């Protein structure tokens, strides 16, 4: 994931975690479109999410962080399905 | 997500969170294939993951849980891309 996207993700997430307003949720929804457009894999999103939580909550239980590694493994499979979709679309052009 | 799948996810995750062995990771990787096969959307996985953490760590900061709602929003978009892929495949048959 490009550094700038990572920075933006952390910033938008932080806003949402502090205040669950419609506006902040909407910023997230808009941002998710960008992630897809830039071919960011879902496991990369989980990975940045984990890093963001580590920064925001330095006291977070190690077990919770381990659970993210598990979630990353889950999403790798979804990422494969997604990239398969992309190449199928390319192929059809 | 079917109740049985949800139960299994929580169990496999719990094992992994307790012990990050190759065996437990492998169980997770195998399980992710099942999730895809059963058309479980990625946002549903995040949702069950959140519920599992709430059960395992009742003291977990509310902010961390809010962050999962944000992640769910991210994954909804990936879920759409995935189901689009499914219907494309169906269409080609």
């Amino acid at each position: 994931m490009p550094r700038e996207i990572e920075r933006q993700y952390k910033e938008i997430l932080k806003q949402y975690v502090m205040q669950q307003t419609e506006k902040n949720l909407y910023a997230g929804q808009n941002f998710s479109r960008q992630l897809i457009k830039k071919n960011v894999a879902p496991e990369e999103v989980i990975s940045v999410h984990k890093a963001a939580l580590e920064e925001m909550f330095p006291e977070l239980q190690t077990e919770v962080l381990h659970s993210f590694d598990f979630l990353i493994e889950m999403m790798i499979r979804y990422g494969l399905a997604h990239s398969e979709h992309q190449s199928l679309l390319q192929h059809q052009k």
Side-chain angles (χ1 to χ4, degrees), chain A:
Chain A
M1 186 186 302
R3 226 16 112 72
E4 181 52 23
I5 298 283
E6 187 173 332
R7 198 194 57 72
Q8 283 178 28
Y9 183 87
K10 289 178 179 176
E11 185 52 39
I12 298 172
L13 172 65
K14 202 172 165 184
Q15 293 299 326
Y16 180 79
V17 164
M18 288 193 298
Q19 280 195 308
Q20 297 82 50
T21 60
E22 286 261 330
K23 183 173 161 275
N24 289 342
L25 184 65
Y26 185 69
Q29 288 166 339
N30 264 343
F31 191 66
S32 68
R33 279 194 205 99
Q34 273 203 53
L35 291 175
I36 297 269
K37 214 186 266 175
K38 293 197 189 283
N39 284 320
V40 174
E43 67 271 23
E44 289 183 85
V45 179
I46 311 289
S47 184
V48 168
H49 194 91
K50 180 191 173 189
L53 288 187
E54 278 186 280
E55 286 172 24
M56 280 192 273
F57 311 102
E59 308 289 313
L60 195 62
Q61 295 97 312
T62 327
E63 289 86 352
V64 174
L65 296 175
H66 287 321
S67 93
F68 273 98
D69 297 329
F70 186 87
L71 200 49
I72 286 169
E73 284 301 324
M74 296 297 118
M75 289 304 135
I76 284 173
R77 185 74 38 190
Y78 284 90
L80 287 174
H82 178 65
S83 62
E84 201 186 303
H85 173 57
Q86 293 298 330
S87 48
L88 204 61
L89 286 181
Q90 283 296 334
H91 190 72
Q92 286 186 332
K93 272 178 192 164

